[in-house]
Amino acid sequence: MKLHHFFRSGSSHRVRIALNLKGLSVDYVPVDLRIGEHLGEAFHSLNPQGLVPALETEDGVLIQSPAILEWLEERFPDPALLPGDVGARAHVRALAAIIGCDIHPINNKRVLEYLRAKGADEDAVKEWTGTWITAGFDAYEALIAKDRARRGFSFGEQPSLADVYLIPQVESARRFGVDLSRWPEIMAVDSNCLELAAFRAAAPLQFAD
């Protein structure tokens, strides 16, 4: 497999974490969004949407990180990133969706570039990102805080799909200067995840080539 990715892309980051958790070896192909490599003909022939990540597999080129993560879970089910119970799976997917549907899409690179093009300065951009990170993290914190069966991670005793989404968003929040002390439960999960090699090896600075 080949993963076409950008080191600082949150959606690329989450796929790298999942690949590591499942013990899968892939070739990493950098796509530098800073110089517009994703806009070129070569990458568009791979992914007509022009977004990272894109994963080349025996089943073809997969795009959109939620679809890639679901494929990985179905194709390589052990270790599982979703719990066995149907209700618990819905809960973990909901946690992931807080990040993947409500925070990340309106804070990603092309949205922020649009804001800048419309005249927003960097203070306004940071206020924008902080607003949506705070709204999402407040909800995430409340949900995991009331789960008394939780043991160290967002759900249960092992990393799940929720953590795969959460940790890249925490990394992004740090980059935008968001005060994370507001969310002690999230910070505890982040600390526990970063004790694992699978998360550390997926970190953006490991790929800042």
Side-chain angles (χ1 to χ4, degrees):
M1 293 188 288
K2 291 183 180 180
L3 180 66
H4 300 258
H5 72 127
F6 179 57
F7 77 102
R8 209 162 53 203
S9 154
S11 52
S12 297
H13 189 179
R14 63 181 73 136
V15 171
R16 295 195 302 261
I17 293 170
L19 288 165
N20 290 346
L21 287 171
K22 290 184 176 292
L24 299 173
S25 177
V26 300
D27 294 326
Y28 290 99
V29 182
V31 181
D32 197 334
L33 307 188
R34 297 166 297 186
I35 59 174
E37 284 186 350
H38 59 301
L39 304 175
E41 183 178 344
F43 188 69
H44 266 257
S45 67
L46 191 73
N47 178 7
Q49 196 177 14
L51 300 175
V52 292
L55 183 65
E56 292 188 67
T57 77
E58 61 187 20
D59 292 330
V61 177
L62 308 179
I63 65 170
Q64 288 289 343
S65 63
I68 294 172
L69 293 168
E70 291 287 349
W71 180 85
L72 288 171
E73 186 70 357
E74 293 175 7
R75 181 68 176 79
F76 305 98
D78 187 32
L81 297 179
L82 288 167
D85 176 75
V86 64
R89 287 201 303 275
H91 175 66
V92 168
R93 285 187 169 114
L95 290 172
I98 289 173
I99 309 298
C101 299
D102 296 332
I103 301 177
H104 180 262
I106 54 177
N107 279 350
N108 66 22
K109 183 176 185 294
R110 58 181 180 168
V111 170
L112 301 186
E113 286 180 344
Y114 180 85
L115 292 175
R116 293 181 179 109
K118 291 297 183 179
D121 62 17
E122 288 309 301
D123 286 340
V125 169
K126 284 188 176 182
E127 181 181 358
W128 171 273
T129 56
T131 295
W132 305 117
I133 290 170
T134 297
F137 277 10
D138 280 351
Y140 200 106
E141 178 86 357
L143 285 166
I144 65 174
K146 71 178 185 179
D147 180 6
R148 295 307 170 195
R150 189 169 61 86
R151 296 290 184 273
F153 297 94
S154 293
F155 181 85
E157 299 178 353
Q158 300 295 328
S160 70
L161 187 70
D163 304 302
V164 167
Y165 275 79
L166 176 64
I167 300 311
Q169 191 60 62
V170 172
E171 168 70 24
S172 177
R174 288 193 176 102
R175 193 168 73 249
F176 286 114
V178 176
D179 181 5
L180 294 167
S181 64
R182 178 185 178 111
W183 304 291
E185 298 284 348
I186 288 175
M187 288 298 90
V189 171
D190 180 65
S191 178
N192 289 335
C193 286
L194 293 181
E195 290 182 4
L196 301 179
F199 285 86
R200 294 196 304 272
L205 290 182
Q206 299 296 324
F207 294 89
D209 50 353

